């Protein structure tokens, strides 16, 4: 029992250490049966792993949808993950990864699960620094910074879901976003998200609100941008707070996660008064408690544009500072 509690405590404390845990799994190889690569998903998104149950096909569904399963009286859609990424399972689809994120529950069918690894976020390289495709947010150095480390492709599960629902209604209804968000002259919203799809959705929402913004691909990029803004502001006799109205950050990001980014901002006198909103697919009370613990001003689960717009307005209204006049 003590070992179990220790494991729970260690896992809960990962957010304060810029660390993460990844579930590694395989999906099969190419048409010739070669290149059975490692893939990964953040453990925080996985509710459980179950042996493949009976799947009920659904009429006229997407080709990558296997159907639905009834798991403890919950009907859950099942996604053929190897088909999504272009793999052919050699041993068949043996397991379901039951995941919860972005306010949804779904199952991903996989060939085999390897292990759970605990890594520093600094061992995870952003997708834009690799030749990875749109469905891969980052590449994890599984064994850390050692020669010939194993590499795992961290899948962008949000992009996968978006791909399967590409015929849905547009994500952002401009008419529903309200009046333009009039930021003070020279101020921007600084946003950070490692998902290509999420960045596009956020940009669409901010554009619909008429907000000026700067988009970055990771917590580290956002932090580097903040420091650059601070240097430029000082040359004008101003502060970073005069230039940045708000920071909107994802949680899962390579090199520096959103927890660390938020903690850095709130503990630095140059940036501590800048409000931070966490916008993440990782939902649940535990994650919200961690968000509060690092000093974020607000938290919202992805992705409902109207709710995001309302929270941006509310947070900005609470943190409005009079503009300096010359």
């Amino acid at each position: 029992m003590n070992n179990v509690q220790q494991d729970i405590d260690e896992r809960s404390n990962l957010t304060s250490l810029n660390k993460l845990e990844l579930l590694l799994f395989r999906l099969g190889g190419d048409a010739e049966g070669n290149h059975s690569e490692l893939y990964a998903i953040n453990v925080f998104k996985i509710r459980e792993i179950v042996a493949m149950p009976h799947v009920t096909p659904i009429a006229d569904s997407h080709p990558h949808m296997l159907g639905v399963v009834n798991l403890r009286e919950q009907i859950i859609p099942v996604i053929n993950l190897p088909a999504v990424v272009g793999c052919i399972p050699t041993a068949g689809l043996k397991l379901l990864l039951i995941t919860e994120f972005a306010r949804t529950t779904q199952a991903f069918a996989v060939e085999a699960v390897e292990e759970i690894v605990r890594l520093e976020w600094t061992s995870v390289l952003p997708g834009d620094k690799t030749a990875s495709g749109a469905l891969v947010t980052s590449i994890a150095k599984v064994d850390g910074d050692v020669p010939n480390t194993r590499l795992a492709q961290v899948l962008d599960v949000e992009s996968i879901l978006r791909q399967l629902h590409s015929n849905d209604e547009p994500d952002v209804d401009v008419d529903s976003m309200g009046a333009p968000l009039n930021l003070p002259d020279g101020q921007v919203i600084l946003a950070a998200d490692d998902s290509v799809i999420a960045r596009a959705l956020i940009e669409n929402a901010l554009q619909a609100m008429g907000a000026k913004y700067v988009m970055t691909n990771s917590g580290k990029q956002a932090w580097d941008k903040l420091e650059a803004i601070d240097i430029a502001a000082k040359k004008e006799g101003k502060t970073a707070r005069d230039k940045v109205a708000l920071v909107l950050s994802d949680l899962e990001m390579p090199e520096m996660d959103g927890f660390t980014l938020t903690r850095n901002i709130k503990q630095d006198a140059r940036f501590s008064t800048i409000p931070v909103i966490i916008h993440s697919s990782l939902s649940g009370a535990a994650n919200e408690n961690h968000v509060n613990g690092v000093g974020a001003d607000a938290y919202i689960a992805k992705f409902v544009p109207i709710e995001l717009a309302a929270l941006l307005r509310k947070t900005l209204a609470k943190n409005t500072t009079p503009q300096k006049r010359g």
Side-chain angles (χ1 to χ4, degrees), residues 213-235:
Y213 63 89
V214 173
M215 180 62 69
T216 60
N217 299 355
S218 72
K220 186 176 185 303
Q221 285 189 16
W223 178 253
D224 291 344
K225 186 64 179 177
L226 265 179
E227 294 201 305
I229 288 173
D230 179 64
I231 291 171
K234 286 178 179 176
K235 293 179 180 179

Side-chain angles (χ1 to χ4, degrees), residues 53-58 61 65-71 74-79 96 107:
H54 173 72
V55 178
T56 301
I58 298 297
S61 60
M65 293 293 299
L66 291 176
V68 296
V69 295
N70 182 5
L71 190 62
Q74 182 181 13
I75 303 300
I76 300 174
V78 179
I79 298 166
L96 289 184

Side-chain angles (χ1 to χ4, degrees), residues 219-289:
K220 186 176 185 303
Q221 285 189 16
W223 178 253
D224 291 344
K225 186 64 179 177
L226 265 179
E227 294 201 305
I229 288 173
D230 179 64
I231 291 171
K234 286 178 179 176
K235 293 179 180 179
E236 300 177 26
K238 297 182 177 180
T239 67
R241 182 69 177 90
D242 295 321
K243 298 290 187 178
V244 180
L246 179 145
V247 173
L248 179 67
S249 177
D250 188 20
L251 284 181
E252 299 176 277
M253 293 182 289
E255 297 183 299
M256 180 189 293
D257 66 11
F259 292 112
T260 304
L261 173 63
T262 303
R263 188 182 303 108
N264 287 352
I265 290 172
K266 293 303 182 178
Q267 292 180 355
D268 193 309
R270 297 172 298 170
F271 312 125
S272 59
T273 59
I274 298 174
V276 178
I277 293 178
I278 297 297
H279 183 226
S280 174
S281 61
L282 293 178
S283 56
N287 284 304
E288 291 191 44
N289 289 337

